[in-house]
Amino acid sequence: MPTTAPERPAERPGQRAGAARTSRSFALPRGTGRTAARIAALTVCQGALMVGLGLLITGPARGLWPMTVEDDVNEGFEHARTGTLTTLSFLGSEAGDTLTVIAVTVLACAGLILIPRLPMWRQAAFLAVAVSLQSLVFLVITESVDRHRPEVHRLDASPPTSSYTSGHTGAATAIYGGLAVLALSRLRGPWRRIVGGLLLLVPVLVAVARLYRGMHHPTDVVGGLANGSLSLLIVGRALFIDGTVTAPAGASPAPSVASAEASPGAPGPGRTAVIFNPTVTGEADCEALRGVLERHGHRAPVFIETTAEDPGTGQAAGALRGGARLVVVCGGDGTLRAAADALAGSGVPLAVVPCGTGNLLARNLGLPLSPTDALDAALRGTPHRIDLGRVEGDGLTATHFAAMSGAGLDAAIMEHTDDRAKSVLGWPAYVLAGVGTLRTPRMRLTVRLDDAPALHRTARMVLIGNVGTVQGGTTLLPAARPDDGLLDLLILDPRGVGGWLRALATLLRGGAKAPRPSAVDTVTAEDGDRSGVPVEFFTFRRAELTFDSTQSRELDGDPVTPGRRLTAEVRPGALTVLLPAGGA
């Protein structure tokens, strides 16, 4: 349906250039004031809590365990001192020294702003504010709680501050803990957990070093760990979870009254979650999508990245737990499948934003293939319930698929398609990969559909579909509909050049003349002579496919563990999708 762009006032000479300069300025993001007030209020609570604990330790509780054994701990460290351990403790203590923490913070923030293709201002602010607030609360604590340092030989000069809390430990927790949070959320592959774990270990080593050097009681370093952790929690939640801070002013138009009325009941701040695959969705794409959402009244959407370890299921589940009323998924069919697996049966609407190579679900739902156009069309539409397929097999945990699943030739094509080729060529990369996999061996399989007797077939490929059309407008499953409460099965078994030509002709004309027995008609179809038929179509609610040998398998375009069995059943109306008029 054609749409009309919102009117804008006429531009004065030089206005466009001025707007471009504004987008590069350091204008504060919207919601900064509210977020700052929230952080300030929680920081006051943090300071009051830490001071209260300090007064309790030095007052009514000083005669209770574990305070009564703290001197023994400090004396134990003093007796265990060696030259090597003393050197190591010096290095550990220096990691939390004020100058070291300042240097690491400045370098980390500068790196986050200057090194990435697009500056990571929010992450830099997270580190800088967390470290600063920890230091501020530390100063309030030391002025409010007077505690003498341990009565042991101290290896460092004693600064004129209270022993409670450990400033070194608190500062180390804020900076290295903050870096660990960023590493765990941004890095990919096996190094993610290794780097994150090592960074989290640093504050613990600093705490032990301060005890070893006689500078603090055990409860002092525990207080430092708590102080730094609370600062990270407060700032991290405000900047990354609550969603109050949005794009800088001028980055996207504010929602008008008309656009807000076009989306009645639009979610409030933080109630719209945008799950995006960072390999196909850049920062500019996210800002464009943010603008579309805000024009439709969806304020302060929360953007959540997928990772190699979790391509969308965990993020969607987390959005549901957080009370999201709309989940927008930006990525390919694999990202959509992963998110749909978590959204199945929830009733929370999904807006499909195609950013991948195949985008089969978006094509079959009648959505535009431009991400912003697809999101705009979805938000102008209404909720529709579509089916999902639930599939499992040997070595394959039960999960859902939204478009297609299969084994044999199509799965081999997915396995042999290079990611770099997909990024450069798009879906034609599958065609190139298919040329090299046409000689995939024929398989023997047994097919059980619903309550019908078993079928025995040979095939090059089997394809289970919730939708029927693939790239290039080719229809592989002509009767497949995403909302008919059924799944469709294609068995492809061409023999020789003539068989491939017959199969191609059948598929190009949409299977109109191809026999398409349903599950209950299977017995009749099997009674005839089916030898040499290159294409067969079936419908079913539940299917069990058993192969005579291990076969390549795929779910929504993503290769999965090869195996000898696939069991698929339909889940009618399991997924709620926003669709424009005429979609699906």
Side-chain angles (χ1 to χ4, degrees):
M1 182 168 70
T3 58
T4 304
E7 294 183 1
R8 295 180 298 179
E11 294 178 349
R12 296 185 298 273
Q15 183 176 358
R16 185 177 300 275
R21 286 192 296 271
T22 301
S23 65
R24 295 176 177 271
S25 68
F26 292 95
L28 290 176
R30 289 191 297 274
T32 299
R34 194 186 334 173
T35 299
R38 180 179 302 175
I39 291 176
L42 291 174
T43 302
V44 170
C45 295
Q46 173 187 346
L49 174 64
M50 297 303 303
V51 169
L53 290 175
L55 295 176
L56 181 65
I57 290 171
T58 58
R62 66 175 178 270
L64 302 177
W65 187 92
M67 274 64 71
T68 54
V69 298
E70 286 193 298
D71 290 340
D72 296 335
V73 174
N74 288 113
E75 290 172 1
F77 274 107
E78 183 181 27
H79 295 324
R81 289 173 183 170
T82 65
T84 300
L85 291 178
T86 298
T87 301
L88 292 175
S89 72
F90 172 77
L91 297 176
S93 180
E94 285 299 298
D97 182 71
T98 300
L99 293 179
T100 303
V101 169
I102 292 174
V104 173
T105 304
V106 170
L107 290 175
C109 291
L112 289 168
I113 294 171
L114 300 176
I115 295 177
R117 182 174 60 88
L118 292 173
M120 299 169 66
W121 291 101
R122 192 182 299 250
Q123 287 77 7
F126 165 63
L127 288 180
V129 175
V131 172
S132 300
L133 288 184
Q134 180 279 145
S135 300
L136 178 62
V137 173
F138 167 75
L139 292 176
V140 172
I141 295 171
T142 55
E143 289 296 322
S144 305
V145 180
D146 185 18
R147 190 182 199 188
H148 295 293
R149 296 187 182 274
E151 296 296 331
V152 295
H153 175 64
R154 294 187 285 274
L155 299 180
D156 298 322
S158 301
T161 56
S162 170
S163 179
Y164 177 88
T165 62
S166 171
H168 281 64
T169 305
T173 302
I175 181 58
Y176 300 112
L179 288 172
V181 169
L182 298 184
L184 291 170
S185 62
R186 306 292 303 187
L187 296 181
R188 303 289 183 265
W191 284 102
R192 171 173 168 263
R193 289 185 174 85
I194 295 175
V195 173
L198 291 175
L199 287 168
L200 288 174
L201 185 61
V202 175
V204 177
L205 295 177
V206 172
V208 173
R210 299 301 285 171
L211 291 174
Y212 177 92
R213 300 182 73 79
M215 302 306 297
H216 294 284
H217 306 279
T219 48
D220 299 335
V221 297
V222 171
L225 291 169
N227 188 35
S229 299
L230 286 173
S231 293
L232 288 175
L233 179 63
I234 291 171
V235 179
R237 182 173 181 84
L239 294 181
F240 298 132
I241 298 177
D242 291 344
T244 306
V245 177
T246 60
S252 59
S256 64
V257 175
S259 65
E261 291 177 351
S263 298
R271 295 305 180 95
T272 300
V274 182
I275 298 170
F276 68 100
N277 183 341
T279 63
V280 294
T281 309
E283 191 77 14
D285 299 315
C286 290
E287 290 304 317
L289 295 173
R290 190 192 304 274
V292 174
L293 285 165
E294 292 189 354
R295 285 199 298 272
H296 284 271
H298 294 264
R299 301 177 299 279
V302 179
F303 283 73
I304 311 168
E305 286 189 7
T306 64
T307 64
E309 295 78 15
D310 189 345
T313 304
Q315 292 83 349
L320 291 180
R321 290 193 300 269
R325 298 178 186 172
L326 171 66
V327 176
V328 180
V329 178
C330 315
D333 289 307
T335 306
L336 287 168
R337 183 203 65 77
D341 190 47
L343 295 174
S346 68
V348 173
L350 164 70
V352 178
V353 178
C355 297
T357 304
N359 304 316
L360 297 188
L361 186 61
R363 295 174 191 270
N364 285 271
L365 295 179
L367 290 169
L369 296 183
S370 162
T372 53
D373 290 346
L375 180 58
D376 183 74
L379 295 177
R380 292 177 183 273
T382 55
H384 291 259
R385 297 176 72 88
I386 68 170
D387 308 331
L388 288 175
R390 184 180 183 276
V391 65
E392 60 181 319
D394 51 327
L396 178 62
T397 304
T399 186
H400 293 87
F401 66 92
M404 295 178 179
S405 175
L409 178 61
D410 74 313
I413 291 174
M414 305 304 172
E415 287 181 348
H416 290 85
T417 302
D418 185 79
D419 289 338
R420 289 171 296 181
K422 286 196 296 183
S423 64
V424 174
L425 300 176
W427 66 262
Y430 293 122
V431 178
L432 296 179
V435 174
T437 56
L438 287 178
R439 298 181 64 85
T440 299
R442 181 176 283 104
M443 69 179 98
R444 291 184 180 273
L445 70 153
T446 300
V447 182
R448 291 181 173 84
L449 304 176
D450 297 332
D451 297 326
L455 296 172
H456 301 283
R457 292 287 190 267
T458 59
R460 297 281 188 183
M461 176 181 84
V462 292
L463 189 66
I464 301 169
N466 188 38
V467 297
T469 302
V470 296
Q471 297 91 339
T474 303
T475 300
L476 297 182
L477 295 161
R481 300 289 182 272
D483 56 357
D484 61 359
L486 297 168
L487 295 176
D488 285 56
L489 172 66
L490 162 68
I491 300 179
L492 181 68
D493 189 26
R495 298 171 184 266
V497 176
W500 279 106
L501 292 176
R502 289 173 59 196
L504 183 60
T506 300
L507 296 175
L508 289 179
R509 66 173 180 260
K513 298 181 181 180
R516 183 182 178 272
S518 67
V520 296
D521 295 328
T522 300
V523 176
T524 303
E526 179 69 5
D527 287 341
D529 180 13
R530 305 295 293 171
S531 62
V533 175
V535 182
E536 288 185 271
F537 300 97
F538 300 88
T539 59
F540 63 93
R541 290 179 175 82
R542 176 182 172 85
E544 295 181 18
L545 309 180
T546 305
F547 311 108
D548 65 336
S549 61
T550 301
Q551 300 295 326
S552 300
R553 300 181 295 187
E554 61 90 11
L555 294 177
D556 282 343
D558 287 339
V560 295
T561 306
R564 298 183 59 182
R565 182 171 57 85
L566 274 180
T567 299
E569 61 182 329
V570 67
R571 287 197 59 188
L575 187 65
T576 302
V577 182
L578 290 182
L579 296 178

